[in-house]
Amino acid sequence: MPPKVLEVKDLITRFYTPEGVVHAVNGVSFDLFEGETLGIVGESGCGKSVTMLSVLRLIPQPPGQIEKGEALFGGRDLLKLSDDEMRYLRGAEIAMIFQDPMTSLNPVMTIGKQIAEPMLEHLGVTVEEARERAEELLKLVGIPQADERLDDYPHQFSGGMRQRVMIAMALSCNPKILIADEPTTALDVTIQAQIVDLVKEIRDQLGMAIIWITHDLGIIAGLAERVKVMYAGYIVEEADVREVYGNPKHPYTMALLGSLPRVDGRHADRLANIEGRPPDLLQMAHFCPFSPRCEYVREICWEQNPPLRSVGNQHNIACWVDVDRNELVAEAQVASNV
């Protein structure tokens, strides 16, 4: 197994608002290995983006607060580094592609200057060297006439091209980790496919590790090696991507997959839907947060939030029920007697 490049342990993040405390991330742990792509999936508001923004210390403080946890990278805990140390590390060693490139790019600065800026800051290159590298990066991400486009502004690019520019910026300092936060959400399906193929090609060329955050299970199927499924700030299922798609064990993952159209024609007459409403994160769940929407719910599900348990080779779920048999597992019997 390749070495770990990132190890997140028991991460807890809260937001203190006038309405109350938002329990955004609730004890999330995961590892990222060199050269792999890890998918983090779940519906809007489940905590997947906040998890990675917390790791990079990009959540606004206040109202956000990282209450607990570790994020180990290169022998250092990112959550304990100084602001100056984090400012250097972001972009140089860990880069992030955000969801909307139009709001992430500076509208009054040329694309060339924006791509060159991280290199001038972190690599100590000259302006001429940075411009040459920026041109190479634009060619790498598939933008034609790269030498001329360096002097264009963001509004002169299409949505797909702007996202390619964001990828070029993220790659400018050859980071060890690339975090992609739903980078294809605002794009049509054809451009989405092009961006995904581009990221896969660059990953294979450069050997970097990637964390891909999305609510689109279809994208993850062809991109990631491992998947973490999040719900209400918790990881509820984690496994190899083939295992999650071929043999899901958590009711939420099963419901998500059931809502997708299938190319083999099965269930083509009607797509499934998940009944109920997303959880209220102002309320700390002392029970399973998926209980109000779960068809397998039992009495213990309303009393205790299940921990992750193994159901196979590196396949873990947070559920008191064996969904294949539709019965409580032994761990639930023990917990109910405690």
Side-chain angles (χ1 to χ4, degrees):
M1 183 173 287
K4 294 178 184 178
V5 291
L6 179 66
E7 186 175 5
V8 176
K9 299 179 180 179
D10 199 22
L11 180 65
I12 297 176
T13 300
R14 303 280 184 260
F15 289 89
Y16 294 86
T17 72
E19 291 76 23
V21 180
V22 178
H23 302 84
V25 179
N26 302 304
V28 167
S29 300
F30 65 87
D31 299 328
L32 180 68
F33 295 93
E34 189 176 280
E36 81 159 335
T37 300
L38 174 67
I40 301 181
V41 303
E43 62 193 39
S44 296
C46 71
K48 53 189 186 297
S49 295
V50 174
T51 296
M52 298 317 305
L53 290 173
S54 298
V55 169
L56 287 180
R57 306 247 302 272
L58 287 175
I59 62 168
Q61 300 185 47
Q65 182 65 44
I66 301 171
E67 302 279 340
K68 183 183 177 183
E70 294 181 321
L72 303 177
F73 173 77
R76 299 173 293 174
D77 184 356
L78 302 181
L79 305 185
K80 294 180 180 178
L81 296 183
S82 68
D83 290 343
D84 287 341
E85 288 174 315
M86 278 304 300
R87 193 174 297 113
Y88 173 79
L89 186 143
R90 287 192 294 259
E93 299 189 58
I94 303 178
M96 191 164 186
I97 307 169
F98 294 96
Q99 186 175 93
D100 185 0
M102 198 58 194
T103 58
S104 301
L105 293 169
N106 188 330
V108 297
M109 184 183 291
T110 65
I111 291 299
K113 287 184 178 179
Q114 293 190 61
I115 297 175
E117 191 173 36
M119 293 182 278
L120 295 171
E121 176 71 21
H122 297 297
L123 302 182
V125 298
T126 65
V127 174
E128 292 76 16
E129 290 171 335
R131 184 178 174 88
E132 289 178 6
R133 172 65 174 157
E135 182 180 338
E136 293 175 2
L137 288 167
L138 286 187
K139 291 177 180 177
L140 178 65
V141 298
I143 293 181
Q145 299 176 314
D147 57 335
E148 298 177 12
R149 305 298 320 253
L150 286 173
D151 296 317
D152 287 345
Y153 292 86
H155 72 272
Q156 295 174 276
F157 289 76
S158 66
M161 288 296 181
R162 284 196 291 267
Q163 199 58 278
R164 289 171 184 266
V165 169
M166 289 296 297
I167 294 172
M169 289 178 63
L171 298 176
S172 60
C173 295
N174 296 319
K176 295 179 180 178
I177 300 175
L178 178 65
I179 301 170
D181 186 5
E182 305 208 45
T184 62
T185 297
L187 307 175
D188 63 60
V189 291
T190 303
I191 304 302
Q192 282 186 17
Q194 292 175 5
I195 295 297
V196 171
D197 288 343
L198 171 63
V199 171
K200 289 166 65 175
E201 182 180 339
I202 290 172
R203 175 197 62 191
D204 295 340
Q205 285 183 25
L206 305 180
M208 68 179 63
I210 296 174
I211 298 176
W212 192 285
I213 304 167
T214 185
H215 63 272
D216 189 337
L217 288 163
I219 289 178
I220 290 297
L223 181 64
E225 287 87 39
R226 292 188 300 132
V227 181
K228 309 282 183 181
V229 181
M230 290 190 67
Y231 188 81
Y234 297 92
I235 291 176
V236 296
E237 184 157 10
E238 55 185 11
D240 176 89
V241 65
R242 293 184 179 180
E243 183 74 6
V244 166
Y245 284 80
N247 190 28
K249 295 294 187 181
H250 194 280
Y252 176 59
T253 310
M254 295 169 64
L256 282 179
L257 291 171
S259 67
L260 290 176
R262 300 177 63 104
V263 296
D264 59 10
R266 294 175 58 190
H267 312 301
D269 52 338
R270 186 180 182 87
L271 296 178
N273 67 306
I274 304 177
E275 300 291 341
R277 302 174 59 183
D280 181 4
L281 297 183
L282 290 172
Q283 305 297 322
M284 182 62 182
H286 298 291
F287 52 88
C288 175
F290 192 60
S291 294
R293 309 171 74 182
C294 182
E295 60 179 291
Y296 299 94
V297 65
R298 300 290 197 277
E299 183 177 350
I300 190 175
C301 304
W302 295 104
E303 297 172 351
Q304 297 186 51
N305 194 358
L308 284 168
R309 62 180 177 87
S310 175
V311 292
N313 183 27
Q314 297 184 331
H315 188 173
N316 302 310
I317 65 169
C319 185
W320 293 122
V321 179
D322 181 335
V323 294
D324 294 330
R325 299 179 179 180
N326 197 10
E327 62 184 27
L328 289 173
V329 297
E331 290 89 341
Q333 301 290 350
V334 172
S336 62
N337 293 329
V338 172

